[in-house]
Amino acid sequence: MPKATIDHLIINSPYEEPKHHWSYDRESRTFDLAAGRRPLGYVIASQSSKAFDDPGIFVPIPLVN
C-alpha cells in the first residue's frame, strides 16, 4: 500500500543482507515497501525540465547492480 510518509525508516538488520527497501514513486510522490535490495543509481534532470520538482530520469549503475 503506497504511503505519503514513513512510520519506521529502518526496516532491515545491520547484520543481514537487506530484505526490503522503501521504493519512492516520483510521479505520485509516495513510498512503497518493496522486496530485496534497492537498485543503485542516480537521477538526472530531464532536458525539458524547468521546474524544481522535476522527477528526472533514473540511471542505474550496472557494475554495482
Side-chain angles (χ1 to χ4, degrees):
M1 172 165 76
K3 302 173 77 167
T5 61
I6 297 175
D7 298 331
H8 301 287
L9 183 61
I10 299 173
I11 53 176
N12 293 298
S13 167
Y15 305 106
E16 298 175 0
E17 183 174 346
K19 293 181 175 64
H20 297 92
H21 67 277
W22 289 111
S23 176
Y24 181 63
D25 182 8
R26 289 194 242 299
E27 299 297 325
S28 65
R29 297 184 181 176
T30 57
F31 296 93
D32 191 21
L33 191 61
R37 184 184 295 266
R38 67 181 164 85
L40 182 66
Y42 55 94
V43 177
I44 58 173
S46 304
Q47 289 182 344
S48 61
S49 172
K50 301 280 188 229
F52 173 74
D53 60 349
D54 173 44
I57 301 165
F58 180 76
V59 180
I61 300 175
L63 179 64
V64 179
N65 291 324

